[in-house]
Amino acid sequence: MQTTIAITAGAMMLSLLILVAGQNDWFHLTELATETVADIDFEDFLLQGILGFLLFAGGLGIKLPHLKDQNGRSPFSP
């Protein structure tokens, strides 16, 4: 069994357990989720948190030899 399949299956099982717990009022998940989402400053979260990771991940895909081949040429020119 591949690792990614095992992680996905585990996440699905945990999600189902959380759904069942929420439906049966085992935990006060609705209140907890509402409070957590309300406390997040999304502008700060996106600009200071997620944006840096996205830019870093995008930079990982850049191949330096390909940039060297593009020396002096515009990517928009024919």
Side-chain angles (χ1 to χ4, degrees):
M1 184 181 230
Q2 291 183 352
T3 313
T4 54
I5 295 173
I7 291 172
T8 303
M12 288 176 59
M13 297 287 276
L14 183 61
S15 297
L16 287 173
L17 179 68
I18 291 171
L19 283 173
V20 169
Q23 292 294 322
N24 294 321
D25 277 339
W26 293 344
F27 305 106
H28 300 288
L29 297 176
T30 304
E31 293 86 13
L32 179 65
T34 304
E35 290 172 7
T36 302
V37 171
D39 289 341
I40 296 174
D41 179 15
F42 282 102
E43 182 179 354
D44 185 52
F45 176 69
L46 290 174
L47 293 178
Q48 301 296 327
I50 298 298
L51 184 60
F53 287 113
L54 290 174
L55 291 172
F56 179 75
L60 287 176
I62 295 175
K63 307 286 188 242
L64 291 178
H66 293 177
L67 282 178
K68 187 177 180 183
D69 293 341
Q70 294 286 329
N71 190 15
R73 288 191 303 165
S74 170
F76 303 110
S77 63

